[in-house]
Amino acid sequence: MSRIGRKPITLPGGVTVNKEANRVLVKGPKGELSMSLVPGIDVQVEDGKVLVKREIEDKKMRAFHGMTRALLNNLVEGVSKGFEKQLEIVGIGWRAQTQGKKLILNVGYSNPVEYVAPEGVEISTDGPAKIIVRGIDKQKVGQVAAEIRGVRPPEPYKGKGIRYVGEHIVRKAGKAGAK
């Protein structure tokens, strides 16, 4: 048995889970999300807990069992609390600002870089050097944060660039100099 797959998901207040054919619909105070189920995986809702079961005991189904439970847990957490990623800009004179759903980055290029947030993701700035990405879908929030970081990834010599808050950048030594 998968250790992750057999662990029940406790539903917080205000969150409902409905199974329709091969789809699971999760509704909560922040919105609603759905996911499709792999044939052979079943979801049961019993007195405030969601249980994920599998029909076949082969290696592939064991992997799908744990993955389905983890994805379902992300849906429940997303519609109840939501997800957030924070990025910081390191560099002299580099800054970020928002205009509606647009994020404008001045990060050392000749022109500012504009990034439009996709549906379901909110981008805000906390000062000129901090970017906050929020949403209910964990995959979308992570993808948007990775795309923003990809505009100017941190370089290994001075550490300048866009990085996640708390990310450790492995620094390289520069030139040793002529002897």
Side-chain angles (χ1 to χ4, degrees):
M1 250 343 236
S2 166
R3 284 188 231 166
I4 293 172
R6 69 175 173 222
K7 192 174 173 185
I9 301 168
T10 306
L11 294 177
V15 176
T16 59
V17 176
N18 296 321
K19 183 181 179 255
E20 302 161 353
N22 66 339
R23 292 196 68 73
V24 175
L25 182 69
V26 182
K27 291 183 184 176
K30 292 204 176 257
E32 64 179 62
L33 294 169
S34 67
M35 69 177 269
S36 57
L37 293 173
V38 176
I41 301 291
D42 187 38
V43 173
Q44 299 170 351
V45 182
E46 298 172 358
D47 52 274
K49 292 187 188 290
V50 179
L51 300 170
V52 180
K53 307 261 183 189
R54 66 175 182 258
E55 298 169 1
I56 307 165
E57 288 293 323
D58 66 339
K59 189 174 183 177
K60 190 175 180 183
M61 276 300 136
R62 286 197 307 267
F64 280 133
H65 185 211
M67 181 190 72
T68 303
R69 191 261 178 212
L71 292 175
L72 197 55
N73 188 51
N74 288 342
L75 296 184
V76 170
E77 190 177 334
V79 298
S80 62
K81 292 184 256 178
F83 293 101
E84 175 180 292
K85 287 260 188 189
Q86 296 182 1
L87 298 116
E88 60 186 353
I89 299 175
V90 177
I92 303 295
W94 293 6
R95 66 183 187 277
Q97 60 189 29
T98 53
Q99 288 180 350
K101 287 188 70 103
K102 250 196 290 193
L103 176 71
I104 299 169
L105 298 166
N106 293 318
V107 287
Y109 296 121
S110 59
N111 295 318
V113 177
E114 293 184 359
Y115 184 84
V116 179
E119 194 66 38
V121 177
E122 176 194 329
I123 300 174
S124 61
T125 54
D126 186 21
K130 194 166 185 185
I131 304 166
I132 302 168
V133 181
R134 290 188 184 95
I136 61 172
D137 190 348
K138 188 174 188 177
Q139 193 273 331
K140 272 188 185 176
V141 169
Q143 182 66 37
V144 168
E147 288 172 3
I148 292 171
R149 182 184 182 271
V151 169
R152 186 70 114 166
E155 53 99 9
Y157 296 102
K158 292 184 180 177
K160 292 167 54 172
I162 302 173
R163 65 173 90 170
Y164 297 112
V165 171
E167 180 182 4
H168 175 71
I169 306 299
V170 178
R171 304 287 291 272
K172 289 182 179 178
K175 292 183 180 178
K179 290 184 181 181

